[in-house]
Amino acid sequence: MTHATIPSSTIPPSQPALRRITRSYDVVVCGGGMAGIGAAITAARHGAKVALIQDCPVLGGNGSKEVRVWLQGASGGANALWFRETGLMEELLLENQFRNQSGQYELWDAVLLDAVISQAGLDLHLNTALYAVTMGSGKELGRIASVDALTLHSETMTTFSAPMFIDCTGDGTLGYLAGAPYMTGREAKGEHGESLAPAQRQENTLGGSILFLAKDIGKPVDFHPPSFAHRFTEKDFRMGRNPVWEFDKIRGGFWWIEWGGQLDTIHDNEAIKLELLRIAYGIFDYLKNDPAQREKNRNLTLEWVGTIPGKRESRRFIGDHVLTEQDVVARADFPDAIAFGGWNLDDHAPLGFFDDAHPPSTHTHIPGTYNIPLRSLYSKTIPNLLFAGRDVSATHIALTSVRVMLTCAQMGEAVGAAAAMCAREGLTPREIANGPRVVALRERLLRDDHHVIGARSDDPADLARRPGARATASSQLEDLSLDQPDRVFALDKDRLLMFPAFAGPLTHIDVLLTATEDTTLAWRLHRGDGRGLTIPAGLRGEGSAKLARGEAVWTRIPLDAVIHDTDWGMIELIRNPHISWHGCGARRVGIKSYEESNDQWGKNSNRHSRFGCMRGERNYCFRLPAEPQAYGPANAIDGYARPFLSPSLWISRASDFARPEWLLVELAQPAPINEVSLLFDADLDRHLVNAWIAAPHAVEPDLVKDYDLEVRSEGRWSTVAEVRANHLRLRSHVLAQAITGDAVRLVVRATNGTPRAQVYALRVYGSSGSNSGSVV
């Protein structure tokens, strides 16, 4: 036998130590969940050198393949329309739908990893756990100077230094180690005057969950539960927690496998995990071996069980503003608004799965989407610490809405942009929030297709927004009507139709009705609140009309109203058992149909509106006078990128695109053009699902598919981009070389299914600055 000689350079010293290295960045983001991904990519796209530190082997946090909670956001608001979190999250979800139509978590993981590691200026550090913070001294006193993190698998200890730090750890580990003040538990009603808060302070938090997934293998398979699993019978499944009907639909999930809210969700995490595993395995044992379930589930095996609890709540930092229930419900108007939310106030049972007194969750509906201020996203005491995610500065009640992952990610995008601005300009987040630079920050976010409710883009770099610019088009849709019936809705309840009502006279509306006998139709005309609310906020008028017996009769309702400010109009037809309102499966941006519903989603009543929107392609038939403003080309340069008080997009006439439709923006005067951004319609009222279930299609049908982009210079047109098979909403084309031009034209050659070109915005920039989208 021979023995290899160990080189002297590899002989360990008498006192071995892990490798130590130091890295310097502009922005360090701790936590690689959806908030951290949003923060890191956005900061890098805004020119910062960024480190993203994640203590797990994968990205996504609760939305990762380790935990597998499906992404939610403003989609969970009963009164929210056109709710999607555009910007980076829209980009990732549309990309995921394109690559991952079957909804597999492995492919979703690849989409997230691809986005992060392909982003210039961003270094990813997986399996790297933050464990220490060094504070500055002298002029830097009170600021975070650096953080230390351990990558155990590579035996490396790294010191990360930067002028700006962002805590997206969920538990608030970075801020905690830095000494930032924070809150835990449930505040008493008297602390903030919140109607939903308990009379006395409680230490309970929202618990964590572990999900599982079963698979049909096509032949019978036995299941022998581990000894630690609970043994359940049907009587053990408390209100709202019976697994049978949910399991039959998706073979797993069960967000209500929740526990640990009565413990310390940070320091008792391992004990919480073990109890959740006991519950999860016990439920699968019941589904496989209970006599009533055994036969139908005989071919199912357990394919996956979550490895770590998906947490909902732990520490919440204290910022210059603590978001409250009142801010959410009143849709507070913040001058430093830079993000938005819309999930209902969704509080969970304190004892989770074993709570006998409460359902697993209680949804308290809110009026609509609401803004989140920058002042709730940075520390009150540490000037270079921002945060996003469930460690936001919010009360427990407000957190029950803002904690969902797409809202966390939206906050992440906002603080990523803020951190990049702070690092570049030597500012603190507080100086931005309370000064004029917050306007520039918001404009930069809007340029990324980030959304802030009611915010109109007035970017001085956008030549299309300057006085004298004008938009024209090959054609436009002027008809607001939906008049091809294919279904009938009995007027067995009050029904309401929302439509855009422009300043000026509103003379009448025609509705298609059937009356089984001579009767009287009663109606009311409602309005919005002028702030984007899409539920009735006030009465404009009411009346009645005689209706003769007849089948499918167009009936004119004389509104005789004068609209002073453009806003949503809402015509309500009052319940009448002798009348039916004909409907259709067509849909149109800006048109929504509602029905009276006091028990939305089978949960609790909606105290803000009697009406619930009929989602999907379900609308009432109606006719309105032609309205050239509704879908005219001028909407593409009005500064809005989704419906707000009106549809705010250009829609062409119906076309087979044998002759392309085009949208032309002429500038006030020739100017150097560096970048053109296009924002297409991707049906912002449909929730995009990242995993668990299959998407209905790989590409949103409303999206423009094939197009050319042209610039006119000295009377001659040059094609600067030819795009085929587009599947994204935002396409930013940075020109290889600036062109001095006086007009830009979008030529639409095909869509992904919709027979009309639908475009929210065409923006023309005289200075580059966007690192997203496609590059010419």
Side-chain angles (χ1 to χ4, degrees), residues 219-234:
K219 62 181 181 180
V221 57
D222 293 334
F223 177 69
H224 304 287
S227 61
F228 61 75
H230 284 303
R231 299 300 190 266
F232 293 125
T233 63
E234 187 176 8

Side-chain angles (χ1 to χ4, degrees), residues 569-622:
M570 304 169 196
I571 185 70
E572 175 190 359
L573 302 192
I574 309 301
R575 177 184 179 275
N576 186 321
H578 307 297
I579 301 175
S580 295
W581 194 348
H582 289 259
C584 63
R587 60 186 172 83
R588 184 90 30 93
V589 178
I591 306 297
K592 288 293 179 182
S593 296
Y594 299 71
E595 61 185 359
E596 189 173 28
S597 175
N598 289 323
D599 187 18
Q600 297 210 24
W601 304 346
K603 295 190 178 177
N604 63 317
S605 62
N606 180 355
R607 61 192 173 108
H608 301 286
S609 178
R610 293 185 293 115
F611 297 99
C613 184
M614 301 196 305
R615 301 290 183 177
E617 298 183 348
R618 294 191 297 159
N619 273 303
Y620 306 126
C621 287
F622 73 98

Side-chain angles (χ1 to χ4, degrees), residues 477 586-589 617 649-657 661 680-683 697 699-706 748-759:
L477 179 66
R587 60 186 172 83
R588 184 90 30 93
V589 178
E617 298 183 348
L649 82 167
W650 166 62
I651 300 182
S652 74
R653 66 189 173 192
S655 173
D656 62 2
F657 299 100
E661 297 289 335
F680 300 122
D681 181 20
D683 188 7
H697 31 246
V699 181
E700 288 298 310
D702 293 345
L703 281 168
V704 169
K705 179 181 181 182
D706 301 334
V748 178
R749 300 189 177 278
T751 72
N752 284 285
T754 299
R756 297 180 179 88
Q758 301 187 175
V759 181

Side-chain angles (χ1 to χ4, degrees), residues 258-311:
E258 178 177 355
W259 194 76
Q262 75 279 29
L263 303 180
D264 182 332
T265 56
I266 297 174
H267 297 105
D268 295 328
N269 187 61
E270 292 306 307
I272 292 169
K273 170 186 173 178
L274 182 56
E275 182 61 23
L276 289 170
L277 287 174
R278 289 186 175 118
I279 298 170
Y281 277 97
I283 288 176
F284 188 70
D285 176 39
Y286 168 80
L287 291 165
K288 281 291 294 183
N289 295 322
D290 183 82
Q293 309 300 323
R294 183 184 303 138
E295 180 58 27
K296 68 177 180 179
N297 295 327
R298 65 195 182 106
N299 291 354
L300 297 180
T301 189
L302 193 57
E303 182 178 40
W304 169 87
V305 180
T307 56
I308 56 177
K311 289 187 187 179

Side-chain angles (χ1 to χ4, degrees), residues 92-111 686-701 727 752:
L92 293 177
L93 287 167
L94 288 175
E95 188 66 38
N96 178 67
Q97 184 170 278
F98 179 67
R99 299 192 202 178
N100 182 23
Q101 193 177 350
S102 61
Q104 302 302 311
Y105 255 98
E106 292 298 329
L107 295 175
W108 168 243
D109 176 74
V111 167
R686 191 180 78 77
H687 176 48
L688 297 178
V689 181
N690 65 309
W692 281 97
I693 61 175
H697 31 246
V699 181
E700 288 298 310
H727 62 274
N752 284 285

Side-chain angles (χ1 to χ4, degrees), residues 9 23 66-67 97 117 136-137 148-149 159 186 232 261 355 381 478 511 519 577 582 587 658 687 717 728 757:
S9 59
R23 296 181 182 273
E66 285 184 314
V67 185
Q97 184 170 278
I117 65 176
S137 58
D148 292 320
T159 298
R186 304 175 186 229
F232 293 125
D355 199 307
T381 60
E478 295 188 7
V511 291
T519 187
H582 289 259
R587 60 186 172 83
H687 176 48
W717 288 101
L728 297 175

Side-chain angles (χ1 to χ4, degrees), residues 31 46 106 171 202 239 289 318 347 409 427 483 632 636 684 729 766:
H46 288 212
E106 292 298 329
D171 284 340
Q202 299 176 356
M239 64 178 86
N289 295 322
I318 298 176
D347 210 353
L427 299 171
D483 56 7
L684 297 180
R729 166 177 153 91

